[in-house]
Amino acid sequence: MIKETPVPPQPTAPLVWLENPNNSVYLESESDIQNYTDIFDQLRASALSPAETRTHLTRTAEELEP
C-alpha cells in the first residue's frame, strides 16, 4: 500500500507499507516510494477496465459451467 495524506491538519510524507504473515515494513525513502509508485502505475495500466473485467468474468464463469 502506498499511503499519502495531503490534507490538513496533518499532511504526511508518502510511505510504502509492506505486509506479510510475520511482520510489516514501512519504506520511507524517496527511491523506494518512486519504485513502488512506478510498479503500481504499471499494474493499473495493464488492468482491465471494470466493463472488461465483468465480460471476462462472465465468459470464464460460462466456460466453467457443466
Side-chain angles (χ1 to χ4, degrees):
M1 172 172 66
I2 300 172
K3 177 144 176 63
E4 185 173 8
T5 309
V7 289
Q10 295 289 330
T12 59
L15 61 84
V16 174
W17 177 17
L18 303 175
E19 191 174 9
N20 67 55
N22 298 317
N23 62 17
S24 297
V25 177
Y26 294 94
L27 305 176
E28 300 180 67
S29 77
E30 191 173 313
S31 63
D32 285 335
I33 292 166
Q34 187 60 56
N35 187 35
Y36 278 89
T37 299
D38 292 345
I39 291 168
F40 190 67
D41 288 344
Q42 291 172 9
L43 288 171
R44 279 193 306 215
S46 66
L48 297 175
S49 70
E52 291 168 325
T53 299
R54 280 189 295 276
T55 300
H56 176 71
L57 292 174
T58 300
R59 285 183 185 156
T60 302
E62 289 169 354
E63 291 172 7
L64 295 174
E65 290 179 355

